Amino acid sequence: MSHKILVVEDDAATAAYVAKGMGEAGFTVDRADNGRDGLFLASDGSYGAIILDRMMPAMDGMAMLKALRAAEIETPVIILSALGTPEDRVEGLTSGADDYLAKPFAFAELMARVQLLLRRGGGGGGVVTHLRHADLEMDLLSRRVKRGSRSVDLQPREFRLLEYFLRHPDQVVTRTMLLEGVWDYHFDPGTNVIDVHVSRLRRKLDDGGDRPLLHTVRGMGYRLGPES
């Protein structure tokens, strides 16, 4: 597994922030500020992962991604973009990205997603379109959720909340992590918004007598997984 990371980002402040954090985590980081130079660097397939912006000069991120895949370079790519609508995410994933994270973002979540891609063994992982845990399945393209054979109807914020839990299975997820990763808050609003949404999500997941999957960890946060 390569510990080299390529950051292709034209915003100097964002690129420096990501590169500094990745470097502190032990990665060797190369940077490019446009897709053309990024494609040149990535063409030897030596990187463990590529963090790729979409809107850049010379060659945008989507054109670079398509060129990489056309050249059969399967280095895992996570798109990091201000374009974060469901349609944008679908376009990125179906064009060959392995993951998609919208700006503004929490660095801890970006790091967790990069590490997940690296654990999957590098290239050849294909496009991540489904998330699964136990009998729970999420389709990121159709935006549908199923528990066993039962469909689970979620509101957009509930969907994002469950997606976050599915990307951190069997881990204690704190309220701060949820505020940053789901609500894009980098401060505590001092409300019970998280508790309300988690409660609604839990009722929908457990409807019909299914065994509980979403648990409160007293004084810490929440955990998605079987009872311990």
Side-chain angles (χ1 to χ4, degrees):
M1 177 179 69
S2 173
H3 280 75
K4 289 175 59 181
I5 301 292
L6 176 60
V7 178
V8 188
E9 166 68 68
D10 68 326
D11 182 80
T14 300
Y17 174 66
V18 171
K20 180 176 182 292
M22 290 291 169
E24 290 173 346
F27 292 99
T28 299
V29 182
D30 292 333
R31 288 168 51 181
D33 61 7
N34 64 79
R36 181 186 58 205
D37 292 345
L39 180 61
F40 175 78
L41 290 171
S43 61
D44 65 357
S46 65
Y47 292 97
I50 298 170
I51 300 171
L52 178 64
D53 187 24
R54 286 189 60 162
M55 297 181 291
M56 294 184 294
M59 173 185 284
D60 66 27
M62 296 301 293
M64 174 185 158
L65 176 59
K66 292 175 181 177
L68 279 176
R69 297 309 188 225
E72 298 185 352
I73 297 171
E74 297 299 329
T75 305
V77 173
I78 177 169
I79 293 178
L80 187 64
S81 176
L83 302 176
T85 68
E87 292 76 17
D88 294 324
R89 291 161 57 91
V90 168
E91 182 184 9
L93 292 169
T94 55
S95 294
D98 298 86
D99 202 350
Y100 199 111
L101 182 61
K103 300 176 183 176
F105 64 97
F107 180 77
E109 181 175 7
L110 175 62
M111 175 62 73
R113 294 189 183 208
V114 168
Q115 290 174 332
L116 178 60
L117 291 180
L118 294 175
R119 285 200 301 271
R120 288 174 180 163
V127 178
V128 177
T129 60
H130 288 74
L131 297 173
R132 295 183 179 88
H133 190 66
D135 60 349
L136 187 61
E137 178 179 353
M138 171 178 283
D139 188 324
L140 295 170
L141 299 183
S142 68
R143 313 291 287 181
R144 293 175 180 170
V145 174
K146 294 178 67 177
R147 178 130 195 229
S149 60
R150 176 175 61 86
S151 294
V152 181
D153 184 23
L154 299 180
Q155 296 299 313
R157 186 73 69 179
E158 295 166 347
F159 188 94
R160 288 188 62 187
L161 182 61
L162 180 58
E163 180 183 352
Y164 194 93
F165 281 122
L166 282 168
R167 291 186 184 277
H168 301 80
D170 297 315
Q171 300 177 29
V172 175
V173 175
T174 67
R175 286 175 169 79
T176 299
M177 293 168 67
L178 292 175
L179 285 172
E180 288 190 343
V182 180
W183 277 267
D184 296 326
Y185 289 167
H186 296 273
F187 61 94
D188 188 345
T191 71
N192 66 341
V193 61
I194 291 178
D195 302 279
V196 170
H197 279 80
V198 169
S199 179
R200 290 174 180 168
L201 177 60
R202 181 184 284 130
R203 285 198 301 270
K204 291 183 178 182
L205 293 180
D206 297 343
D207 183 43
D210 294 306
R211 61 186 177 87
L213 272 181
L214 186 54
H215 308 281
T216 299
V217 181
R218 189 179 299 276
M220 299 179 67
Y222 306 94
R223 181 179 59 83
L224 180 72
E227 290 182 289
S228 57

